[in-house]
Structure formats: structure tokens, C-alpha cells
């Protein structure tokens, strides 16, 4: 599909890997990248949940009330 592969310069560097790249370990590279993204996202979520403070009580329950430290501590104190 798409025609024959033409000769290309070997000395050109490309951040995407160059022409017609298909590394043998692309699956493990992808898994490692997703694991890194997940770890960073989890860290950001955890820090955000610990620092979130609401000055006014919500009128109705909102999802972040189940993981925010402010409401977890209030729930544990009332129990």
C-alpha cells in the first residue's frame, strides 16, 4: 500500500524514529509509557484531593466529596 519504499538519508535524526520505523518492542514501550502517565496522573489526583478545600458547603452531594480530605475528616469525626 502506498507505493515502494524509497531510499532515504541515514544521517537524519527524527524524534519520531525516522522513516518507516516499527520497533520490535513497541508493545512494551507503549505499556511503559502508559504506566508512567498513570503514575503521574495518580500523583496529581492524590495531591489535588489532599489540597482541595471548599469554603462553602455544596447544596447537594458532589462526587469529589467522597475523596476530598476535608469531607473524609468531617465524616470520620461525626462517626
Amino acid at each position: 500500500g502506498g507505493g515502494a519504499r524509497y531510499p532515504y538519508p541515514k544521517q537524519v535524526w527524527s524524534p519520531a524514529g525516522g522513516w518507516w520505523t516499527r520497533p520490535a518492542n513497541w508493545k512494551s514501550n507503549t505499556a511503559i509509557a502508559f504506566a508512567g502517565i498513570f503514575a503521574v496522573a495518580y500523583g496529581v489526583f492524590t495531591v489535588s484531593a489532599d489540597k482541595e478545600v471548599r469554603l462553602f458547603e455544596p447544596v447537594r452531594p458532589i462526587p469529589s466529596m467522597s475523596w476530598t480530605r476535608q469531607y473524609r475528616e468531617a465524616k470520620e469525626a461525626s462517626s
Side-chain angles (χ1 to χ4, degrees):
R5 293 185 175 186
Y6 53 86
Y8 58 89
K10 303 287 189 203
Q11 70 274 10
V12 176
W13 180 83
S14 169
W19 285 267
W20 305 297
T21 173
R22 188 168 291 143
N25 60 341
W26 71 270
K27 289 181 183 178
S28 62
N29 289 347
T30 303
I32 291 168
F34 276 120
I37 291 169
F38 178 77
V40 169
Y42 179 76
V44 168
F45 174 81
T46 304
V47 170
S48 174
D50 285 343
K51 294 184 179 288
E52 181 178 346
V53 176
R54 296 196 179 271
L55 300 177
F56 302 104
E57 187 77 22
V59 177
R60 59 185 187 273
I62 57 175
S64 70
M65 291 175 74
S66 61
W67 59 73
T68 305
R69 181 172 33 154
Q70 177 184 6
Y71 295 109
R72 278 186 299 167
E73 290 174 353
K75 185 178 178 183
E76 290 171 2
S78 68
S79 296

